[in-house]
Amino acid sequence: MSDSKKYSLTKSFGNLKVRLKLMVLHNLFFLVLTCAAYFSLIPLFEKLVTDARGREVTILQQVPRTAGEVKLSQESYKTAVSRAKLVLFLVLGSIYVLAVLLLESAIMPLYVYRPLKRMLEADRATQSGDREREMIPAEEILGDEIGQIMSSRNDTVAELRRQEDELAAALRRLEEQDRLVSLGLLSASVAHELNTPLAVLNGSIEKLIETTVVETDKDAHTLERLERMRRVAQRLQRISESLVDFSKVRKQQMEPVAVRPLIDEAWGLVAIDEKSSSVEFLNEVRAEDRVIGNSDRLLQVFVNLLRNALNAIESSGRVEVHSRRQQRRVVITVEDNGKGIEADVLPDIFDAFVTTRLDARGTGLGLTVAAGIVTQHGGTIGASNRAEGGACLEVSLPAVAAGR
């Protein structure tokens, strides 16, 4: 047989289903075994019959002729041999059939066909994205080679899903960053566009104030309204200028930064909000506490934290900032006596767009930005609820070494 025909036959046999392939193999095995047993036992039995016949002939030759003539029956020996062949064929055939039935009905389905079918079902579930059915339960995995393949498959699928989840999370973060960039560009653009009309408005109001002559109560009332309008216009202008300044590229060098004046400056920016007038602010940061960082970026962190605390207070309340030294770090806590952070929001509080105020004043970005800056400074940030009510945001930053 040529090599090409051998290869074609081998490939055709290899393309058969596992069950059919195993059926052919073990049937062939038992058939060879049965034939080998049959053709090995029959010659032995025939030899035994021949020896028995020879002994019988010898005995008959020793019998005296006076006893009469005794004839040897050839047919009895032939019948015995034929019957033995038939019985042996039936016995071996029965054993062969029973062995095949036992293999095909119990052993092979339990240890081969069922595990293979279970793996195929799990693979189909994986391809269709059915995560509930794609893993093979541990109680169905045996300790043989097929079980090792099943365990390895489970590990591979679990690792694949983990990487898919990480990729999905990374894509979500990219989408959030895109939103951050869009919001940043939009807010900077809006603030820039507002600066000019606000400057014109403020100048016009000041001109009206200068030209208004108070002669009657009505004139005094008009002047009072103009003063109020100027204060509002100036406040809007300060907010716009702060927003534009906030969006500028910051200097990146790290240097020792005193924490207490940084907190005062951050509150000064937050205090533009009228709500701050009804809130008591306490800066209890120790004067000697200094950290290594970029003052502009850290200012952004504490503006976000203080604004978050201010927004958490419903009407009047208190915002406190404390600090303490913890080994080689300075820990700054920003506390408020508001209603605290909701339990379902707390684990994801530093994720982008997590807020209950998306419809109103909050954007859900402040704490995310703060967490990113703190991490870049080699620090950590955490959030918790105070036992007495309100929230506590804690920032840990590298402290300035002694002598610097």
Side-chain angles (χ1 to χ4, degrees):
M1 187 181 291
S2 63
D3 292 341
S4 61
K5 290 183 178 180
K6 288 182 180 179
Y7 174 76
S8 177
L9 182 61
T10 304
K11 186 176 181 180
S12 298
F13 180 74
N15 289 334
L16 295 176
K17 298 292 185 181
V18 171
R19 183 162 194 163
L20 183 58
K21 198 181 301 180
L22 290 177
M23 286 178 64
V24 171
L25 290 175
H26 65 64
N27 271 280
L28 183 62
F29 170 76
F30 281 118
L31 183 60
V32 171
L33 183 62
T34 302
C35 291
Y38 181 82
F39 290 108
S40 297
L41 293 174
I42 289 301
L44 291 176
F45 185 75
E46 288 178 342
K47 184 177 182 301
L48 291 174
V49 171
T50 302
D51 291 344
R53 183 174 176 276
R55 286 193 298 272
E56 186 176 354
V57 170
T58 301
I59 293 172
L60 289 177
Q61 289 176 350
Q62 295 176 358
V63 174
R65 294 188 178 273
T66 56
E69 186 177 358
V70 180
K71 293 184 178 181
L72 184 64
S73 176
Q74 297 289 340
E75 293 297 328
S76 62
Y77 287 104
K78 291 181 180 179
T79 302
V81 171
S82 299
R83 187 178 298 164
K85 288 181 179 179
L86 179 61
V87 171
L88 183 60
F89 177 78
L90 293 175
V91 170
L92 291 176
S94 300
I95 294 174
Y96 166 74
V97 172
L98 289 174
V100 171
L101 289 176
L102 181 63
L103 276 173
E104 284 299 317
S105 63
I107 297 176
M108 299 299 287
L110 181 61
Y111 297 108
V112 179
Y113 305 146
R114 187 181 299 171
L116 291 177
K117 181 181 178 181
R118 186 68 183 85
M119 278 196 291
L120 289 174
E121 291 174 350
D123 282 341
R124 283 193 291 269
T126 301
Q127 293 172 5
S128 63
D130 186 358
R131 294 198 175 194
E132 294 182 357
R133 300 175 56 195
E134 68 181 2
M135 303 299 290
I136 302 174
E139 58 270 15
E140 296 183 20
I141 299 178
L142 303 177
D144 57 5
E145 288 82 356
I146 296 179
Q148 292 174 3
I149 294 174
M150 295 168 81
S151 297
S152 176
R153 180 204 166 277
N154 275 0
D155 294 340
T156 301
V157 172
E159 178 64 18
L160 176 64
R161 293 308 187 195
R162 185 187 66 80
Q163 293 181 2
E164 286 181 350
D165 293 339
E166 289 180 353
L167 178 60
L171 290 175
R172 286 195 299 272
R173 287 194 294 271
L174 284 175
E175 291 175 357
E176 292 167 357
Q177 290 183 6
D178 286 342
R179 293 176 68 183
L180 284 171
V181 171
S182 299
L183 284 173
L185 292 173
L186 178 62
S187 60
S189 176
V190 170
H192 179 73
E193 293 297 327
L194 284 177
N195 272 341
T196 300
L198 284 175
V200 173
L201 177 62
N202 191 47
S204 299
I205 294 173
E206 289 180 350
K207 186 67 174 176
L208 286 172
I209 292 173
E210 292 174 359
T211 57
T212 300
V213 178
V214 180
E215 295 180 353
T216 64
D217 291 341
K218 185 177 180 180
D219 293 334
H221 182 65
T222 300
L223 186 61
E224 182 182 348
R225 293 179 64 183
L226 287 172
E227 288 287 353
R228 190 182 307 118
M229 290 173 62
R230 182 172 63 176
R231 288 196 301 270
V232 172
Q234 289 175 346
R235 180 171 174 272
L236 288 174
Q237 197 169 14
R238 285 196 302 272
I239 293 174
S240 179
E241 291 172 352
S242 299
L243 187 57
V244 172
D245 181 65
F246 223 48
S247 65
K248 291 179 180 178
V249 178
R250 307 278 175 159
K251 55 182 181 179
Q252 298 298 321
Q253 68 268 22
M254 297 292 188
E255 57 190 5
V257 179
V259 179
R260 185 180 178 87
L262 189 70
I263 299 298
D264 286 331
E265 184 179 356
W267 180 254
L269 290 172
V270 175
I272 295 174
D273 192 326
E274 288 184 351
K275 185 178 180 180
S276 63
S277 60
S278 62
V279 173
E280 179 185 2
F281 174 70
L282 297 176
N283 184 359
E284 300 292 341
V285 174
R286 302 185 308 174
E288 65 271 19
D289 285 336
R290 296 191 302 162
V291 298
I292 296 294
N294 181 275
S295 58
D296 288 330
R297 304 202 71 200
L298 290 179
L299 175 64
Q300 186 176 357
V301 170
F302 291 108
V303 164
N304 286 331
L305 298 188
L306 289 171
R307 182 182 292 115
N308 185 79
L310 181 62
N311 290 333
I313 299 173
E314 294 182 353
S315 55
S316 61
R318 185 177 65 259
V319 176
E320 300 180 9
V321 184
H322 302 270
S323 69
R324 67 179 187 275
R325 188 67 179 260
Q326 187 173 324
Q327 297 179 352
R328 297 180 180 180
R329 308 181 79 82
V330 174
V331 179
I332 305 104
T333 58
V334 178
E335 301 177 351
D336 63 72
N337 62 346
K339 61 181 181 180
I341 305 169
E342 296 179 5
D344 58 334
V345 175
L346 188 58
D348 305 315
I349 191 67
F350 296 107
D351 292 346
F353 306 106
V354 174
T355 178
T356 57
R357 292 174 286 102
L358 283 172
D359 305 343
R361 304 173 62 184
T363 61
L365 300 174
L367 294 182
T368 304
V369 173
I373 296 173
V374 170
T375 301
Q376 291 170 1
H377 279 70
T380 59
I381 185 170
S384 61
N385 284 318
R386 303 167 64 207
E388 59 271 29
C392 175
L393 297 173
E394 183 174 280
V395 176
S396 176
L397 294 168
V400 175
R404 289 192 60 179

